[in-house]
Amino acid sequence: MFVAERHVRSRPVRDVCALQAVLAIISNKWVPAVFEHLSGATELSYGDLYRRINGASRKMLSATLRNLVRDGLVQRSPRTGPPPQRVYYRLTNLGRSLVDSLDGLHAWADSHVHVIEAARQPRAD
Amino acid sequence: MFVAERHVRSRPVRDVCALQAVLAIISNKWVPAVFEHLSGATELSYGDLYRRINGASRKMLSATLRNLVRDGLVQRSPRTGPPPQRVYYRLTNLGRSLVDSLDGLHAWADSHVHVIEAARQPRAD
DNA sequence: CGGGATCCACGTCGATACTG
DNA sequence: CAGTATCGACGTGGATCCCG
């Protein structure tokens, strides 16, 4: 896991691994969508998320949520009651702080992604 | 590529795709390390980077740099001169702005990654 | 020195079908 | 409603060898 731990003299390389670990989490295809929707509501059921996130299969949504719960970013709250049982998901405080920290990158992406895609054009495709 | 473009009524979902595109770039294993090292110097040669980034094969470093150049985040400057030819890489302005925007997430990762890993423990590894 | 070509292992993602 | 099981497609990453 440790990418660079030597030659740490004057320059940063403060902890690329931590960043990598977080990137590994949020770069899973449906994580950004889940974050986006959960940050816009106090809590959403599995079905709510499934309907809102277009394109994700149930399996992928389940796996995504399970991983986020495992990492303590999302809280799972099953409603043990009448037959149509529902499971609600919400961001934990940790999850919200991550979404907040992601905001800067999010804004950058919104305003610069077109520049990147434009730079890619010259190479066909 | 477009994950969520429908059902954009009142809630955000401002542009998850842009974020995903950027995440797809920076979540490539050696990108964070390359960014880190290039942001700590005006320019570094291929060999410099290869020596600094421990664990990366030449192939992966090449591919990583090629992609970053393609996306306009890194500039490639070959030194056409004496036999031991060298190729220098440096961040473009676009690349630097991305690294800057990544700083918030980087800081978050440094201070919270241990919490996440602690949360993961209970499930045996 | 700075790469590219090839082959292979592995993980992610998707479609489908099935269960409590 | 809320998932799990299985399979297959694809992409990333790594090792090795070769080239200018």
Side-chain angles (χ1 to χ4, degrees), chain B residues 58-75:
Chain B
R58 287 188 200 76
K59 172 200 169 184
M60 292 317 298
L61 182 57
S62 297
T64 301
L65 289 169
R66 195 186 326 126
N67 287 331
L68 292 177
V69 168
R70 181 203 55 182
D71 295 340
L73 299 170
V74 167
Q75 182 188 355

Side-chain angles (χ1 to χ4, degrees), chain B residues 3 10 16 24 26 33 42 49 77 84 88-89 97 100 106 120:
Chain B
V3 176
S10 56
V16 182
I26 64 180
T42 52
L49 284 167
S77 308
Y88 286 87
Y89 293 91
S97 71
D100 288 346
H106 204 322
R120 280 180 174 174

Side-chain angles (χ1 to χ4, degrees), chain B residues 28-30 59:
Chain B
N28 287 335
K29 189 165 181 179
W30 303 108
K59 172 200 169 184

